[in-house]
Amino acid sequence: MAYLIMLVGLFLGILFFAFVFIASKWSGKYYLAPVITFLFSGMIVVYSLFLVGGFEGMGYLFLAVGFLIVSIVGTLLLPLLIPKIKSQPINKKDKISLLLLPIIFFATIGISIFSQDGYWIIEQASAAPVETEGYRISTISEGSKAITLLLGEKYLGKEIEVESVSKWGSTEIVLKFVDGGDDDKVPFIQIGLNEINESLKVQTTDGKIFQPIGSSRD
């Protein structure tokens, strides 16, 4: 996942660098392309550490690495790029590029946000069965939530998989149970969520709905 985020950062960084570099034709200050790309990577780092933080903020750090790599490579390639473009005035192709590059840039960000799962597995293991079955809600870093599922003897010898987590509307977590676990233990899972939209529903693929027990949302 980290490499995928970094690749997205590289792609966005190239688009960003190309836009600034082409726009620099008007001023002739082509060095602004790697400098502004570098500063933008720094802004992403600041946003990650001070405004997002926690596990979710790590993704922005990998994104910033992509921009940083582009700024470094762009600096190295600048002596080769400037002679080719310096002799060419702003043309129709450049104007089209300046229009399309931001569209592609923001479209890529939108697709990336839309494709995010919005959840992650904090812990998954086997545990002893409990008498009171259900899930607990707790608050983790930066307001994100954790759903901890506690299971009874009915699920001895089972393994648990996250089938789906709804992205829109009320939060609905669908879990799938399969054979293959320890015969004397039940599956245990703790799921991290960016946010919970009421009303929360945790259920199995067979339609079994789990009830909240001892939840703490603070």
Side-chain angles (χ1 to χ4, degrees):
M1 180 61 72
Y3 292 108
L4 180 60
I5 298 174
M6 196 179 300
L7 285 175
V8 172
L10 282 170
F11 181 69
L12 292 175
I14 292 171
L15 295 176
F16 189 89
F17 180 93
F19 178 86
V20 179
F21 187 75
I22 295 173
S24 298
K25 273 190 171 185
W26 274 292
S27 65
K29 299 177 180 179
Y30 298 103
Y31 64 87
L32 289 176
V35 170
I36 294 178
T37 304
F38 174 79
L39 293 176
F40 194 79
S41 70
M43 290 172 59
I44 297 174
V45 172
V46 171
Y47 178 78
S48 170
L49 296 178
F50 298 101
L51 296 179
V52 181
F55 181 85
E56 188 177 352
M58 290 295 293
Y60 290 95
L61 290 178
F62 290 116
L63 196 67
V65 170
F67 278 81
L68 178 61
I69 292 174
V70 171
S71 69
I72 294 173
V73 174
T75 301
L76 297 175
L77 294 178
L78 210 57
L80 299 177
L81 295 174
I82 291 177
K84 293 182 179 180
I85 197 172
K86 193 173 183 179
S87 59
Q88 302 174 6
I90 290 287
N91 52 43
K92 185 177 180 180
K93 183 179 177 180
D94 292 328
K95 293 178 180 179
I96 293 175
S97 297
L98 292 175
L99 176 65
L100 291 179
L101 287 172
I103 294 175
I104 299 173
F105 183 88
F106 289 107
T108 303
I109 294 176
I111 293 172
S112 300
I113 293 174
F114 180 80
S115 62
Q116 286 181 353
D117 291 330
Y119 77 92
W120 63 95
I121 306 300
I122 299 175
E123 185 178 358
Q124 188 169 8
S126 297
V130 297
E131 293 184 4
T132 304
E133 189 175 85
Y135 65 87
R136 290 175 177 165
I137 304 174
S138 57
T139 300
I140 51 180
S141 64
E142 301 299 326
S144 298
K145 302 294 183 180
I147 305 294
T148 303
L149 185 65
L150 304 174
L151 300 170
E153 293 182 352
K154 176 183 176 181
Y155 295 95
L156 286 170
K158 298 289 185 179
E159 289 185 345
I160 191 170
E161 300 174 357
V162 178
E163 184 74 7
S164 65
V165 176
S166 62
K167 296 181 181 180
W168 315 111
S170 59
T171 301
E172 181 176 305
I173 301 173
V174 181
L175 304 170
K176 181 179 181 181
F177 290 89
V178 297
D179 295 327
D182 297 333
D183 293 336
D184 59 341
K185 292 184 178 180
V186 298
F188 169 88
I189 192 169
Q190 188 174 48
I191 304 169
L193 297 169
N194 292 330
E195 60 180 347
I196 294 178
N197 298 322
E198 299 295 349
S199 58
L200 172 65
K201 181 187 290 186
V202 181
Q203 65 179 43
T204 70
T205 51
D206 297 327
K208 158 72 176 178
I209 298 177
F210 296 103
Q211 300 300 322
I213 53 172
S215 299
S216 175
R217 294 174 180 259
D218 300 325

